[in-house]
Amino acid sequence: MSLAKFFEDYPDVRYIMYGGKGGLGKTTFSAATAYYLAKKGHKVLVFSVDPQASLSDIFERNIFGQGEVEILPNLYACEIDADRRIKEYQDEIRQKIRDMYGFEEIPEEIENYMQAASAEPAMEESAIFDEVVNIVVKGGYDYYIYDLVPLGHALYYLSMASVYDQWISKITRLREQMREYDRVMATVRREKELQEDQILNELQYIKGRINASSGILTDSRKTAFFFVLTPEEMIILDTKKAADMFAKFSVPIRGYIVNRVVPQELLGQNIPTYLRNRITMQKGFLEEIERSFGEKVLGRVPELESDVRGIPMIEKMAHAMFGGW
């Protein structure tokens, strides 16, 4: 099956993710897929969950922190400003604390804790995760394309939904138990009905958002995860290991796409020795990829003559990935 055939056969798949080690072409493939689907008439949003995002470089537009920017008709791109999201998140927490406890000013201990927590690396990833949930839950697009972080961080990102869900579930159960206890005590004291539990409502709101996000990540009907790899020994080994780990998180792996393949046809031409050796080396690793991943290999993308920057090169990459259309 080809990548284009995959999208024809699975029209319900709406969430597309490209993963793999850094520098293999995930961002390029994400941009080219967005271009292809937009040209097919679908409204598409491509966004990065990588703090070191490079969609701005690919599209040659400054989209960082600009929200959902229209690149072409039907094609939108977004790079999340994690620092700004952290500040907004802190402001939301401050306001909720004021509302819940009637404080005019946030106590110094709590303010100090919030400032310290914002410096933690995990806070940046959490802020991006939170913003991604906002984007996906809001809706409005036919396709969402995730440009994921490199493998190790991607696993962390994908596991965050599960970890958050377990943590929030535990806290929610404790709060519900406290709520039940308060209700009993109110009955004993013959007090009126308890006031609305704002903390419990907030926990249930957060849990609902996380469930919506994690449900998408693991829904094989709506979500497709593609590994990007190159014909190199270490890349193949890392991809095999990552595929096993991703499967443990129930991530629906739908295929593998091989990037930067030097055309075998060049062997019949007068080419430098190093290039001839590289083609021969790739031939062996391409055979290994076919043995390892079989029919899930959805495409081989040739090495292009230059880096993919700007719409003309994105279009060229889209044709290389999906064929003529």
Side-chain angles (χ1 to χ4, degrees):
M1 181 186 292
S2 69
L3 196 55
K5 186 77 166 44
F6 175 88
F7 283 97
E8 291 175 8
D9 289 355
Y10 297 96
D12 293 333
V13 168
R14 297 297 177 180
Y15 303 94
I16 314 299
M17 302 177 195
Y18 286 104
K21 292 195 71 171
L24 298 185
K26 297 188 299 298
T27 305
T28 302
F29 280 12
S30 298
T33 301
Y35 180 89
Y36 168 75
L37 292 171
K39 286 294 182 181
K40 299 285 279 186
H42 304 290
K43 188 177 180 182
V44 185
L45 175 65
V46 55
F47 58 93
S48 178
V49 301
D50 189 345
Q52 308 299 322
S54 54
L55 284 173
S56 287
D57 296 334
I58 295 276
F59 287 115
E60 296 185 323
R61 291 270 299 273
N62 179 22
I63 61 173
F64 180 74
Q66 305 291 317
E68 295 154 31
V69 177
E70 185 175 18
I71 305 295
L72 293 171
N74 285 331
L75 172 53
Y76 294 77
C78 176
E79 281 183 347
I80 297 165
D81 184 342
D83 290 339
R84 187 169 71 188
R85 183 62 193 136
I86 289 172
K87 186 177 182 308
E88 291 172 350
Y89 190 53
Q90 288 177 325
D91 290 342
E92 291 170 12
I93 292 174
R94 290 188 185 97
Q95 189 58 48
K96 286 174 181 174
I97 291 174
R98 291 191 194 97
D99 293 342
M100 288 182 186
Y101 298 102
F103 294 146
E104 292 187 3
E105 297 293 335
I106 301 299
E108 185 178 355
E109 294 84 357
I110 296 176
E111 183 62 39
N112 289 341
Y113 174 78
M114 290 173 59
Q115 293 297 332
S118 67
E120 294 288 334
M123 181 61 80
E124 184 179 52
E125 288 157 330
S126 297
I128 292 175
F129 177 86
D130 194 58
E131 185 62 19
V132 168
V133 174
N134 280 342
I135 291 171
V136 172
V137 170
K138 184 177 68 177
Y141 294 91
D142 299 322
Y143 284 92
Y144 294 84
I145 300 177
Y146 296 61
D147 174 27
L148 287 175
V149 287
L151 280 176
H153 285 160
L155 275 171
Y156 174 72
Y157 172 80
L158 294 169
S159 68
M160 281 176 73
S162 174
V163 172
Y164 279 0
D165 183 47
Q166 292 176 31
W167 183 74
I168 292 292
S169 294
K170 188 173 182 178
I171 300 296
T172 301
R173 282 197 298 274
L174 287 172
R175 190 69 193 179
E176 287 171 342
Q177 291 170 3
M178 291 173 61
R179 176 73 172 170
E180 187 61 29
Y181 174 77
D182 290 344
R183 184 175 288 115
V184 171
M185 293 304 296
T187 302
V188 171
R189 294 170 182 160
R190 297 185 178 180
E191 294 174 350
K192 293 181 179 178
E193 189 174 335
L194 290 175
Q195 292 183 345
E196 187 177 16
D197 189 334
Q198 293 186 57
I199 295 177
L200 184 57
N201 291 345
E202 182 67 18
L203 289 169
Q204 289 171 338
Y205 169 73
I206 295 171
K207 183 174 171 59
R209 283 164 48 83
I210 291 172
N211 284 343
S213 178
S214 62
I216 288 170
L217 292 173
T218 56
D219 188 340
S220 60
R221 295 170 305 162
K222 298 179 180 177
T223 302
F225 183 97
F226 299 103
F227 271 110
V228 180
L229 71 163
T230 53
E232 298 172 71
E233 183 175 16
M234 291 308 298
I235 300 298
I236 297 170
L237 291 173
D238 286 342
T239 302
K240 288 178 182 175
K241 292 176 184 175
D244 290 340
M245 289 189 285
F246 274 54
K248 292 179 182 176
F249 288 102
S250 303
V251 175
I253 301 170
R254 307 304 291 269
Y256 299 79
I257 306 168
V258 190
N259 195 15
R260 295 177 188 155
V261 178
V262 182
Q264 298 279 315
E265 296 76 26
L266 291 178
L267 287 174
Q269 301 179 21
N270 183 23
I271 57 176
T273 301
Y274 81 88
L275 187 55
R276 187 175 298 278
N277 291 341
R278 188 176 174 198
I279 293 173
T280 303
M281 179 195 71
Q282 282 198 349
K283 184 174 185 297
F285 290 131
L286 287 169
E287 291 170 353
E288 172 60 26
I289 288 171
E290 294 292 335
R291 283 194 297 271
S292 299
F293 306 117
E295 61 184 14
K296 282 196 169 184
V297 179
L298 301 183
R300 295 181 180 183
V301 178
E303 180 95 65
L304 299 184
E305 69 275 15
S306 65
D307 290 343
V308 176
R309 295 283 187 277
I311 297 301
M313 284 304 293
I314 291 173
E315 181 181 14
K316 190 165 188 174
M317 174 57 80
H319 279 284
M321 291 174 67
F322 295 93
W325 72 86

